[in-house]
Amino acid sequence: MATIRQDDFIQSVADALQFISYYHPTDFLQAMRRAYEREASPAAKDALAQILINSRMAAEGHRPICQDTGSAVIFVRAGMNARWDTTMSIQQMCDEAVRRAYTYPQNILRASMLADPAGKRVNTGDNTPAIVHFDLVPGEQVEVFVSAKGGGSDNKSKVAMLLPGDSVVDWVLQMVPTMGADWCPPGILSLGIGGSPEKAAMLAKWGLMEPVNIDELKARGPATPAEELRLELFEKVNALGIGAQGLGGLTTVLDVKVADLPSHAASKPVALLPNCAATRHAHFVLDGSGPVALEPPSLDLYPKLALDFSTSRRVNLDTITPAEVQTWRSGDRLLLTGKLLTGRDAAHQRITDIMARGEKLPVDFRNRFIYYVGPVDPVGDEVVGPAGPTTSSRMDRFVEPMLAQAGLLGMVGKSERGPAAVESIRKHKAVYCIAVGGAAYLVSKSIRASRVLAFPELGMEAIYEFEVKDMPVTVAVDAAGGAIHRTGPATWKLAIEKGAGAAQQAAPA
Ligand code: SF4
């Protein structure tokens, strides 16, 4: 009978959380590489290149792939004949592992868990608690699946109770466009069908732990209805033309997972869960022989890519004028240099509250750009830790007051804006740019200095002033209201419908 010692379990989970913060799963990395090689959309190809370069940098530097280092989701399948040598519960051991991993001094990870989520929303400080799922199975070993789940992709999860006669394919194809680019495609979609509403969601979550193997399935052919559905959805979702970061392109999903269970005759529960460009998970087995050390991937698996800035415009943020901004068009690629403000949800709320009270703002936003970001804390000689963009749509309700009253000129974030935000941008002749979600370590290398300007008590949500050098962004909404997240996918959907030749000619969107 295997004896699983408390510290072996805790250290193995903590090590796995560190490991996945900087190593993509090998199968996922290879699928991303294949997507890059076959991508015909220049904008999507550039985004994929940034994701791959970032992945290599994270692997080499042992620093997080993405600034959202996720909630720790841990599945434990414990053999019923295993013996535990511990005074802690599984939840307590997982929490201790998360604490150890997220505060590891050489690679501090971002603490994103908030207590009292419906009220004060106070950061727990060490990313605990873990989200733990526990199962008792035959055997004497303990299998552990560790993942770090970003908020942007979890936020796009869908659960529905379909009518028995409803088409699951139709539902998925209706849902995916509503998810936009907030979940940082390309990634994985996992579908759970049947059971009950919560069981369907669990089936889908389990699917996200599986390796990317759609090419093998294509090669051998489907053996079950679920596998047939995987292939059908893989083709049809990619045919939507959403592409990397929603810029329009050939690959939106690298794989689709489907799992099903019997359900009540009156019901058809379905759950659709995405995993983003920062898909992070690892799997190991404890057999009582000690802690598990995961094997690092060979760096040969990472393509050696160089970013091509030959078509990018250089922009000086310190001398930028509204007239210059109005010459940009959606899809233009820029390299930003100069002083860039930061702010996200909490800071925007405070700023708009201050303006509503008619008080003086702590920061002058006039003709400035703001970057929606919540970076990882720096380590060693870093100015800032990984600092990729956060989901911009959460700031949509602040766009009008920030442009009209605060005098902001530009915003940088990730994924699309809602119609009201686009209209505000058009009305005020401002601009919205995107950086690549999931390329956080790469982006952080453009940041040369950082200082807090306001609300230091908000931690990663404070307003900072970054000094950036050649930070790569793409104009997503221009001063005339042109929006690449609308035109890009539409162009590529049409091109894919017309066939490969048309897709090759659909550039530049
Ligand atoms: S890649 Fe995007 S969705 Fe995923 S963790 Fe990073 S910011 Fe969040």
Side-chain angles (χ1 to χ4, degrees), residues 262-301:
S263 68
H264 191 284
S267 313
K268 193 189 273 185
V270 285
L272 182 67
L273 271 56
N275 239 2
C276 59
T279 284
R280 294 158 290 193
H281 58 83
H283 167 221
F284 60 87
V285 176
L286 289 163
D287 59 7
S289 60
V292 174
L294 295 165
E295 181 78 24
S298 162
L299 286 179
D300 294 342
L301 291 170

Side-chain angles (χ1 to χ4, degrees), residues 38-48 243 247-250 492 503-504 506-509:
R38 67 185 286 271
E39 186 55 73
S41 154
K45 198 171 180 89
D46 175 59
L48 289 165
L247 294 166
L250 300 180
W492 283 88
Q504 296 291 341

